[in-house]
Amino acid sequence: MAKYADLHLHTNASDGEYSPQEVVKAAYKQGFSAISITDHDTLSGIEEAREACQKLGIEFISGIEISTVWEGKEIHILGYFLEKADRDFLEKLTEMKDSRKERIKKMVKRLNDLGYNISLDKVQEIAGEGAIGRPHVAKALLEKNYVKSIKEAFIKLLSPGCPGYVPRYKINPFEAIELIKGISGIPVIAHPGINNDEDLIYKLVKAGLLGIEVWHPEHNELLTNKYYQLAKEYDLLITGGSDWHGHNKEDTALGIIKLDYKYIEKLKRKKKELSLITFT
Ligand code: AMP
Ligand code: FE
Ligand code: FE
Ligand code: ZN
């Protein structure tokens, strides 16, 4: 029987709807053989997911999705097979988490000034322990019926150029690659089709990028083919995933991307190579 994986999933450790355990269970029900949890700028969902995978007999690959910015554009860098985070890595994550909080505080204040009566406490309660972000603000707006959907909240208020938007401190993609490599992880550019900047990919490859997310719900057939070819051309690893957030993000669902297990084998081979280099 064909084995398949989903290497891009969010839990409530960042802005996903479900807990790591619930995400693993859902993936199990859909027949996935391997998964990775890739929460935004945090590793806090990893242990719970790893345990749940062990119980159900799913292969678990540790992961993260780091939000970065380059020339004003948002670039997401995935990291896989991360080893225990070192001090540099944890310090950066704490910095990112703190800046997320500060930024959301400012966004709530802006929205209040605009007449949207939502409280920071409520947004924080929605985020729980997880890395707080705009989807949590969107949910607070939805709960108060200021918008009809999370999508509407983003379109009207929370995207760049909208009245409620505040940018936040972000590292650049080159730093993210360094951080991931620093803990023997495999850096992969997430959904490159969204920005479609081949020039940047070329620069990132020179800086140590090892893979491209070819299959993603925001890639149509043309973009999928383009990035598949690019991966072959640069001899990069190929990944894919649904970017599932539960109901916190529309336009995707668990099960819509089924990455052939042969790509997991290739990732594992690369990981082995990296470990050999690190420890000899
Ligand atoms: P943040 O990291 O706080 O800037 O929030 C970014 C997250 O918001 C992304 O990872 C998505 O999960 C979500 N997001 C961005 N744009 C939209 C949109 N148009 N509709 C729904 N969710 C979105
Ligand atoms: Fe997200
Ligand atoms: Fe992303
Ligand atoms: Zn994502």
Side-chain angles (χ1 to χ4, degrees), residues 230-270:
L230 207 70
K232 294 279 167 200
E233 202 179 307
Y234 291 157
D235 196 22
L236 294 172
L237 294 158
I238 288 173
T239 74
S242 64
D243 208 351
W244 188 50
H245 288 63
H247 295 100
N248 289 354
K249 189 175 184 181
E250 289 107 350
D251 306 333
T252 182
L254 183 65
I256 63 171
I257 304 281
K258 289 179 170 154
L259 180 70
D260 191 314
Y261 191 80
K262 72 178 181 199
Y263 296 109
I264 306 299
E265 279 161 353
K266 288 185 186 179
L267 282 162
K268 288 203 281 196
R269 234 172 281 149
K270 174 62 83 178

Side-chain angles (χ1 to χ4, degrees), residues 11-80:
T11 77
N12 62 8
S14 66
D15 58 357
E17 180 178 6
Y18 300 112
S19 70
Q21 271 188 49
E22 288 166 334
V23 169
V24 170
K25 262 186 212 150
Y28 174 76
K29 278 193 195 143
Q30 297 233 4
F32 284 97
S33 298
I35 62 153
S36 183
I37 297 291
T38 52
D39 278 309
H40 301 287
D41 306 334
T42 181
L43 296 170
S44 66
I46 296 288
E47 283 320 310
E48 184 184 322
R50 190 195 304 282
E51 269 174 36
C53 279
Q54 264 163 6
K55 271 191 201 139
L56 294 171
I58 302 185
E59 192 172 337
F60 179 71
I61 297 161
S62 59
I64 193 166
E65 183 178 25
I66 302 184
S67 312
T68 78
V69 75
W70 187 249
E71 291 175 344
K73 298 219 177 77
E74 179 114 7
I75 309 289
H76 292 173
I77 304 289
L78 296 157
Y80 293 114

